[in-house]
Amino acid sequence: MFWLPLPAAGLVVARRVRVRRLWGRGLATADMTKGLVLGIYAKDKEEDVPQLTSAGESFNKQVAGKLREMLNISGPPLKAGKTRTFYGLHKDFPSVVVVGLGKRSAGVDNLENWHEGKENIRAAVAAGCRQVQDLELPAVEVDPCGDAQAAAEGAVLGLYEYDDLKQKKKMAVSAKLYGSGDEEAWQKGVLFASGQNLARQLMESPANEMTPTRFADIIQKQLRSASDKTEVHIRPKSWIEEQEMGSFLSVAKGSDEPPVFLEIHYTGSPNASEAPLVFVGKGITFDSGGISIKPSANMDLMRADMGGAATICSAIVSAAKLSLPINIIGLAPLCENMPSGKANKPGDVVRAKNGKTIQVDNTDAEGRLILADALCYAHTFNPKVIINAATLTGAMDIALGSGATGVFTNCDGLWKQLFEASIETGDRVWRMPLFEHYTRQVLDCQLADVNNLGKYRSAGACTAAAFLKEFVTHSKWAHLDIAGVMTNKDEVPYLRKGMSGRPTRTLIEFLLRFSQNSA
Ligand code: BES
Ligand code: ZN
Ligand code: ZN
């Protein structure tokens, strides 16, 4: 028999040996190297038969009903996110992976605050494409599964793994849309997912590689190749001094690595002088804690403490690729937080750009110190909105874990826009409070106007947000605490273990919707 359903791992190995032997005899064609991922829905009612997608149905016809036959004899109906692989059914696709999509009727779930159907497609396609990658096939065609954007996102996010520094790399699989479906939606999905993958790469890279200078160089290249309506300023220490960003400088001076204030402009609006949106991102390329040094266990994860800068810059690169008709400015204070003879000491007082003095009671609360100056600077562009993203507090992870990004905002409209964007992308946000209650706990300060440490241990994410609020006068501001969503273990099924690049897609979707509403 040529075809073979292979539920067991041992059989997969046997099959690989067989194909190698065929190749050895010179029987392989270019088509021997292509996989196909097809979706199948779960039964809506107990007595129903599971339905293939329309692409699945037409493939089944092409192979004279063999796919359906194989599915029926190879085991129980496929659960959502599960895969089953068949071999030798079709000359162009020696391996066909069928993936479970869950119920066809799945839509927006108002308790989960996401579109369950889209999430199911992302997860199923990711699992199917990884199966193809495990078979070491260099190409895969993917069923749009009724939503080509979600399918592309599943493929491109699911296949990504950071192996830049390994000699042995996973097979690079190129994913294409199967059939003559919605190519535009597929390309949009590729763009969204590639944006998130750029953020993942920046975050995962080790801190000795991803220095402030290197980060700025990469973003400069990415932005320039995305669009010619862009401008990049890589501001050195002397500029930061001229700007009187004493708070940012106080963190940077603890390290031998020079700081950079990265400023990127994308001028997509036909009116170049139209007010921009300003995005700000925390860019600590390594957070040791400084003199208030962190425990050594898992300290390596603090290479991703520039996740705010990575996600906002990637979102702006993506907006430029989409040619959105809006103006956007991205600001990223980039430096390391290290202990040294020059480092901040607990009790030191520093002065931010707006003149406010800050008592640095804990040098590990450095994110708010560098953001304070960047937020002051953001106001100078007279922006429509200011949004900042930061891996700001361990307390955010305690509060929501990786379930959602915490959003602290003084604007209900902005909240609604971010929330709605996140339902679409599945990279969720959840609103958190900006009460005076927390402000009082950072304004109670022995030596300065404001303390970088809250008076009590509780509600660390909220006191950090209250601190940032002291540097914001704009009426449309949102602070995204992304510390909880920084890494993925196995919670998001379509992301492999590692730095997540979240919530890049939500930021891109927000910008896309903003550009459509303001047009
Ligand atoms: N970068 C950390 C926050 C963090 C922790 C991000 C875990 C991602 C995962 C931040 O600079 C920090 O250390 N915050 C302190 C603040 C505290 C000293 C008030 C924290 O959360 O413990
Ligand atoms: Zn810290
Ligand atoms: Zn930090």
Side-chain angles (χ1 to χ4, degrees), residues 282 287 289 294 305 337 363-367:
K282 171 178 172 181
D287 181 11
K294 287 182 180 295
D305 208 21
N337 183 27
T363 67
D364 195 12
E366 83 299 338

